[in-house]
Amino acid sequence: MTHLTTHVLDAALGEPASGMEVTLAAVGESIIAQGITDADGRLHLGPDTLPARDYTLTFATGPYFAGRGVETFYPAVTVTFTVTEGRGHHHVPLLLSPFGYSTYRGS
């Protein structure tokens, strides 16, 4: 399993947000990995280990909603988080609607 996973849920539809592009990058540096959420809205992303530092996950919410013919206020959602030594796996879920979102550190 990769060091980082995410799960995107479309709260407006009450179902997983499948087919959404997600990008992992170190803050201030280039992209580390990109992927597309599966049918369950899940994605394993990045290398087996991530060095301790700050990272961003950018969720391409604009194209996701446009593909469904839905207007959105957020063309992208970027979550910045910190990886520390010895913390192991990181899970960063996103609960999404066209006009709001929330995230938390999952397990």
Side-chain angles (χ1 to χ4, degrees):
M1 177 183 287
T2 58
H3 192 68
L4 179 72
T5 57
T6 189
H7 187 198
V8 185
L9 297 172
D10 185 329
L13 294 177
E15 61 186 42
S18 63
M20 182 181 295
E21 182 177 324
V22 182
T23 303
L24 170 66
V27 170
E29 295 190 14
S30 60
I31 293 171
I32 296 170
Q34 290 179 298
I36 305 291
T37 57
D38 65 14
D40 194 35
R42 296 181 184 273
L43 178 62
H44 298 262
L45 195 62
D48 288 339
T49 60
L50 289 171
R53 65 172 303 157
D54 293 341
Y55 294 89
T56 61
L57 272 180
T58 301
F59 299 85
T61 54
Y64 168 79
F65 283 118
R68 286 152 182 75
V70 176
E71 180 185 354
T72 182
F73 185 69
Y74 300 103
V77 170
T78 300
V79 178
T80 303
F81 61 98
T82 301
V83 169
T84 55
E85 291 295 329
R87 292 298 300 238
H89 175 256
H90 287 71
H91 182 65
V92 183
L94 180 69
L95 181 61
L96 179 67
S97 73
F99 300 100
Y101 65 90
S102 66
T103 185
Y104 57 94
R105 180 180 178 159
S107 58

